[in-house]
Amino acid sequence: MPSALINVPAKAKRGEIIEIKTLMSHIMETGYRRTATGEIIPRDIITSFACRYNGVEIFRADLFPAIAANPFITFTTVATESGKFEFEWIGDRGFSETASASIIVE
Amino acid sequence: MKFARTIAIAALLTAAGIGSLAATEIPQAERRSGFSFMSPDTKAIQNDDTANPGMLSVLDGEKLWNSNANPTNKACAGCHYDVGAMKGVAARYPAFDKTLGRPINLEQRINLCRVQHQQATPLPYESRDLLALTAYVAEQSRGMPITAGSDPQLQPFVAKGFELFMHRQGQLNLACANCHDDNWDKHLAGSAITQAQPTGYPLYRLEWQSLGSLQRRLRNCMIGTRAQPYDYGAPELVELELYLMSRAQGMPIETPAVRP
């Protein structure tokens, strides 16, 4: 299972804007490179990323071959209630990974 | 563009030519990690463990450290227990190996351990697994001062490494010292030249989009001077590593560092 790093503040005030940072381990092979013998190295990238906050999708991104290896995606949201952030990465060759992080909103 | 680069290299060669014999080591007080040459954005990546992609390899290394998938069913953790026992190890490598009678680097030590104690096959140089294990072990020494090269048995090898560092080679006829001792405060094609202080290896290079070893960096430099690079694991590369680590004595380990 590939490694992922998630940074969500453990606590926040209600209504506060919080920053969420995610880093997923992935080679992001573009599909445009060739081996020494001239064969194309097949594309192997993450194609989509989504984040749900207590079940509601709050962020989604499509990824393309120009994105570097180990995609680092950060975004902000408003802390509305305590609960769970769920992250999902989907990609080529059946790549599918999930991660989650909790937050306490006071 | 090509024309401009040719001029830049020619200018560098002229500058290097004048001071070639006078190449002096960088005074202790003026030593700087490659970190200090980086942009604030790149520094921020290294400083945040949840943004530093090198930490992904450290996490992979932790899994490998605890894995017993080898003929003896013995994980690294099976002998060394807590990885905390590895604290300070990276700071003193390359170290002298009594059996071989010469210095070996951390990657070679890990592979010797695999072969001798786990009856496993050695991991290839620059493979994800070897880099991950090395990064995990080296990260334990983060912040500790480098001590490599202080063992008296290593002195002849440090001296050999120093000779290699001063030795002009390749079509551009450059020694390491021509850039990294004489011109470290200047730029080459827009990039800082830096002092060749190997404080953060294995490190994540944005250009590589992956973790890489010091030997990969050294081979890159040799290709840049249009010299034939030594093979991975070659005694010359280990001696160069040893010399570079010994000139960085006292500087803190940054593994896994980030570089542009």
Side-chain angles (χ1 to χ4, degrees):
Chain A
M1 191 188 141
S3 301
L5 285 165
I6 308 291
N7 187 352
V8 171
K11 280 183 182 178
K13 290 198 178 77
R14 196 173 303 277
E16 188 185 336
I17 295 171
I18 54 166
E19 187 180 20
I20 294 166
K21 300 187 211 174
T22 68
L23 183 63
M24 172 47 90
S25 173
H26 200 287
I27 56 166
M28 296 296 280
E29 183 61 54
T30 62
Y32 299 122
R33 298 199 307 164
R34 287 171 190 271
T35 62
T37 52
E39 290 140 66
I40 280 205
I41 304 170
R43 193 185 86 163
D44 183 9
I45 63 167
I46 296 174
T47 48
S48 100
F49 166 79
C51 171
R52 285 190 300 276
Y53 184 9
N54 287 336
V56 181
E57 186 172 294
I58 56 159
F59 185 87
R60 169 171 288 279
D62 291 334
L63 287 83
F64 296 92
I67 294 172
N70 306 316
F72 179 59
I73 300 174
T74 76
F75 51 95
T76 54
T77 191
V78 178
T80 50
E81 55 191 326
S82 297
K84 205 163 129 186
F85 288 97
E86 289 166 293
F87 306 93
E88 188 180 36
W89 296 261
I90 292 171
D92 295 334
R93 300 187 182 190
F95 184 88
S96 175
E97 289 299 327
T98 55
S100 65
S102 318
I103 187 167
I104 296 167
V105 176
E106 291 158 336
Chain B
M1 183 63 208
K2 201 170 187 181
F3 180 62
R5 191 172 296 166
T6 313
I7 290 178
I9 288 173
L12 184 76
L13 286 175
T14 318
I18 297 163
S20 63
L21 288 172
T24 44
E25 280 194 71
I26 298 160
Q28 292 278 311
E30 283 174 41
R31 291 185 309 167
R32 285 167 57 186
S33 157
F35 180 85
S36 70
F37 294 85
M38 303 200 303
S39 72
D41 286 347
T42 319
K43 283 181 181 170
I45 301 176
Q46 178 173 325
N47 284 339
D48 179 352
D49 276 351
T50 56
N52 180 345
M55 289 308 287
L56 294 170
S57 299
V58 171
L59 289 176
D60 291 343
E62 186 179 6
K63 286 175 208 156
L64 292 165
W65 176 267
N66 292 305
S67 152
N68 60 359
N70 61 65
T72 59
N73 285 325
K74 218 158 58 177
C76 305
C79 290
H80 297 288
Y81 303 106
D82 183 48
V83 73
M86 295 291 107
K87 203 168 160 56
V89 170
R92 59 182 170 81
Y93 265 74
F96 191 78
D97 184 87
K98 283 206 173 69
T99 325
L100 295 171
R102 52 169 298 105
I104 56 168
N105 64 21
L106 196 50
E107 286 91 340
Q108 290 170 322
R109 163 53 61 209
I110 288 169
N111 268 335
L112 277 177
C113 234
R114 279 179 62 82
V115 172
Q116 290 171 353
H117 304 298
Q118 297 182 317
Q119 292 166 24
T121 48
L123 296 165
Y125 279 100
E126 298 309 294
S127 61
R128 278 178 81 99
D129 284 0
L130 184 57
L131 288 167
L133 261 176
T134 312
Y136 183 55
V137 170
E139 197 245 353
Q140 309 306 316
S141 305
R142 213 198 247 186
M144 294 179 73
I146 291 170
T147 57
S150 36
D151 180 350
Q153 295 177 97
L154 287 173
Q155 284 329 298
F157 300 98
V158 176
K160 274 190 199 168
F162 176 66
E163 267 172 47
L164 287 165
F165 189 81
M166 304 300 280
H167 175 68
R168 284 178 179 273
Q169 54 181 326
Q171 288 180 324
L172 297 185
N173 200 28
L174 284 170
C176 312
N178 294 137
C179 288
H180 299 290
D181 272 353
D182 300 342
N183 291 292
W184 58 263
D185 51 349
K186 299 186 182 70
H187 285 75
L188 183 59
S191 303
I193 290 175
T194 79
Q195 293 183 349
Q197 309 284 9
T199 49
Y201 286 90
L203 57 72
Y204 194 94
R205 236 189 124 194
L206 301 179
E207 183 185 311
W208 293 337
Q209 297 193 32
S210 74
L211 212 68
S213 69
L214 177 53
Q215 295 208 353
R216 181 173 179 185
R217 174 67 265 185
L218 294 173
R219 282 168 50 89
N220 264 207
C221 262
M222 296 183 72
I223 291 165
T225 63
R226 299 180 202 162
Q228 172 78 40
Y230 301 112
D231 291 332
Y232 279 112
E236 289 88 351
L237 283 183
V238 178
E239 284 153 12
L240 261 174
E241 275 189 69
L242 176 64
Y243 165 67
L244 291 177
M245 285 294 276
S246 72
R247 85 207 285 262
Q249 267 180 20
M251 297 174 76
I253 295 267
E254 294 168 42
T255 310
V258 175
R259 294 292 182 269

